[in-house]
Amino acid sequence: MRRVCLALPTHRECAGTIAAIHAEAAYGASTFGVEVEFLILDSCDPETYAAHAHAVRNLPQAGGVSVTHLDEAAQAEFLNRAIAGSGVAKPELIFELMLPNRASYGACTNRAFIIAAALGCESVHRRDSDVAFQEFEGEPVYPIHHELMSIGKTARDAVAGVTEVALDPKHLDKPVVTVGASFIGDLSVDIEEVREQNPQAYFDIVSLWAAPGTTEQEKRELVEESFTGSPDGEFTGDRSILSLVDPMRVDMSNISYYQVHEDVPLPPMTDTIGSDYFHIHLVPDSTLPGVLHNRHVINYHTPDRKADEAFYVYHLRLVKFFLSMLYLHEIYARMGAAGSHLLDGNHRIRVPMLADMVRASSTLDPTPNFAKMAQLERAYRSIGGRYAAFADRLAGRQEQLVVEARQDIEEFALLIEVWGPLVTAAKASGLS
């Protein structure tokens, strides 16, 4: 029987979310006749982990659904076995890239990818701990409905399950490797306070996301659209489009992957917002089909990031996101130029070609990142209060952060090169 993984990485209390996603798993299993492995990767403190374990034990029985709840010790044990079995060089470094001692959105999703492979799952469906499901006519609106309708089929076969086709017929024999949607509710990045207090500072900060050569008008349009989620609004009925999915229309809290996650990992960057969004670009750039639907999740901001120390950590992650874009924009441009040449005859990613693109980007002149740091410091200082205090912290870390951004890309290239053996070893060993 077809087996899929519904994955929830978390570092915060989310017993309610665990119950909601388990119900989504039950819906997927009963509606589509698949086995759903609900995988919870828990990086919480022992007390919160224990509360989650209690919540898991009290979940209702659901046919076709299994639950795997792993703390970081259990994840580490699995990773050590998979890394040893893969025979890759630098095993200690690879372990650090997979389970770093600092927060990494990419690394936690990479662990979901590789553990899903060990569990025998053909696709990974990711959710986040700070989202909820919409309701329509008294029932939850589960994204897994569209995901299981199309993921893994050829685009030609997926046509019957969508409401619109916007895909060049030359791509119809390729597999649908991603199905996703976006969110409604709070901004995906918690900077609404900046937008309200100082719109100019907000523009000066968010516009640093823009690619080289972006015009001033294009920057203003990007800032207006950034982090806002779906323009569709609340769910009123299903719509789905088979296409090369626009990266700006999907979110990693509401997405699924087939095959591509076993070919290529996500950047294991630490303390960097958005480090898990690489595949959102890789898939359409390489001309692999996807489905965009409108079962958007509800995003909300949890209280844990409002305290001062969490505030500083959060904004540091945002700064590192902007620094990472120097390299990621170059990689995206190279991927876009390569197009379908990034795929082999079986529509799989040509991993050596991609690794070369990533490694080449790491040789870029870092000067633009020093200019970004200066602009960020000025913008934060202009807001005042704890934002100005954050600017003081940035002032002494410019060179360190710029160096880290380049190193993150070098390590990403390394992880791409060893990903295949890691996945193969994970499948061979199982989770156990």
Side-chain angles (χ1 to χ4, degrees):
M1 182 181 288
R2 181 182 176 196
R3 188 170 176 81
V4 305
C5 176
L6 185 55
L8 173 65
T10 184
H11 67 284
R12 60 169 64 92
E13 191 285 322
C14 64
T17 307
I18 288 171
I21 295 178
H22 182 263
E24 183 184 24
Y27 171 88
S30 63
T31 304
F32 292 92
V34 301
E35 293 182 356
V36 181
E37 182 68 53
F38 179 23
L39 174 64
I40 306 165
L41 298 181
D42 200 328
S43 296
C44 293
D45 60 84
E47 182 179 354
T48 305
Y49 174 83
H52 288 164
H54 177 77
V56 167
R57 287 192 298 271
N58 286 279
L59 290 171
Q61 291 294 315
V65 178
S66 302
V67 183
T68 299
H69 180 208
L70 303 177
D71 63 10
E72 287 201 345
Q75 295 172 50
E77 189 276 334
F78 164 77
L79 288 173
N80 276 321
R81 277 193 296 111
I83 292 168
S86 71
V88 299
K90 302 180 180 178
E92 296 85 0
L93 174 58
I94 300 304
F95 180 88
E96 175 63 23
L97 298 181
M98 290 297 296
L99 187 58
N101 57 16
R102 294 191 289 172
S104 172
Y105 301 91
C108 73
T109 310
N110 284 339
R111 297 197 298 277
F113 287 168
I114 199 169
I115 293 172
L119 290 168
C121 299
E122 67 175 42
S123 56
V124 174
H125 308 249
R126 198 189 111 167
R127 305 291 181 260
D128 277 350
S129 57
D130 53 358
V131 300
F133 298 117
Q134 295 188 68
E135 289 194 358
F136 181 65
E137 296 181 345
E139 297 293 331
V141 178
Y142 292 131
I144 204 169
H145 177 88
H146 284 291
E147 293 172 344
L148 294 179
M149 182 76 72
S150 298
I151 197 80
K153 294 181 178 179
T154 65
R156 190 179 306 279
D157 289 340
V159 167
V162 299
T163 58
E164 182 181 343
V165 176
L167 186 71
D168 191 307
K170 67 184 179 182
H171 301 308
L172 285 174
D173 291 322
K174 297 175 181 177
V176 173
V177 302
T178 188
V179 179
S182 189
F183 64 91
I184 61 173
D186 294 337
L187 295 181
S188 60
V189 176
D190 189 0
I191 52 174
E192 177 64 28
E193 185 178 70
V194 177
R195 186 164 67 171
E196 292 176 351
Q197 290 189 12
N198 193 323
Q200 183 59 51
Y202 183 84
F203 175 84
D204 292 343
I205 292 170
V206 177
S207 63
L208 291 173
W209 186 9
T214 303
T215 67
E216 196 68 14
Q217 180 57 34
E218 289 170 337
K219 285 183 181 179
R220 296 198 176 279
E221 292 170 358
L222 176 68
V223 171
E224 183 68 24
E225 183 179 11
S226 293
F227 315 134
T228 58
S230 172
D232 297 350
E234 294 183 4
F235 181 86
T236 57
D238 282 304
R239 296 188 302 279
S240 54
I241 305 170
L242 178 66
S243 64
L244 302 182
V245 176
D246 181 350
M248 293 294 286
R249 298 273 71 87
V250 290
D251 189 81
M252 277 300 291
S253 63
N254 188 2
I255 204 158
S256 58
Y257 288 113
Y258 169 77
Q259 285 188 345
V260 67
H261 68 286
E262 294 189 359
D263 294 339
V264 180
L266 293 165
M269 303 168 179
T270 55
D271 293 328
T272 306
I273 284 172
S275 60
D276 51 347
Y277 279 66
F278 185 80
H279 287 26
I280 287 173
H281 294 266
L282 172 64
V283 170
D285 283 349
S286 62
T287 70
L288 285 169
V291 170
L292 173 67
H293 63 88
N294 67 330
R295 292 192 171 209
H296 309 302
V297 294
I298 303 170
N299 185 62
Y300 60 91
H301 294 161
T302 54
D304 57 284
R305 57 180 131 190
K306 301 299 184 182
D308 279 346
E309 194 52 42
F311 166 89
Y312 293 124
V313 170
Y314 189 83
H315 282 272
L316 177 64
R317 294 173 185 172
L318 182 60
V319 166
K320 288 197 68 179
F321 162 73
F322 294 124
L323 297 181
S324 74
M325 294 313 301
L326 171 67
Y327 306 102
L328 291 174
H329 278 312
E330 173 71 10
I331 298 167
Y332 298 158
R334 288 172 179 262
M335 292 193 308
S340 61
H341 295 293
L342 259 176
L343 304 178
D344 65 18
N346 296 314
H347 312 305
R348 304 294 288 260
I349 299 295
R350 296 183 188 273
V351 173
M353 180 186 296
L354 179 62
D356 287 346
M357 291 178 181
V358 174
R359 182 162 280 109
S361 77
S362 70
T363 65
L364 289 172
D365 180 358
T367 300
N369 270 349
F370 285 103
K372 283 186 178 182
M373 289 294 294
Q375 182 168 324
L376 285 162
E377 185 182 338
R378 288 193 301 271
Y380 275 106
R381 199 174 301 284
S382 71
I383 304 169
R386 61 180 180 174
Y387 293 94
F390 176 70
D392 292 337
R393 292 193 180 193
L394 275 186
R397 299 189 61 185
Q398 289 195 18
E399 185 167 353
Q400 173 198 347
L401 294 175
V402 169
V403 169
E404 282 185 13
R406 186 189 70 245
Q407 182 178 334
D408 285 342
I409 294 297
E410 294 171 344
E411 292 174 341
F412 180 34
L414 172 62
L415 192 60
I416 291 172
E417 291 171 335
V418 304
W419 191 247
L422 281 177
V423 171
T424 299
K427 289 181 175 181
S429 69
L431 183 61
S432 178

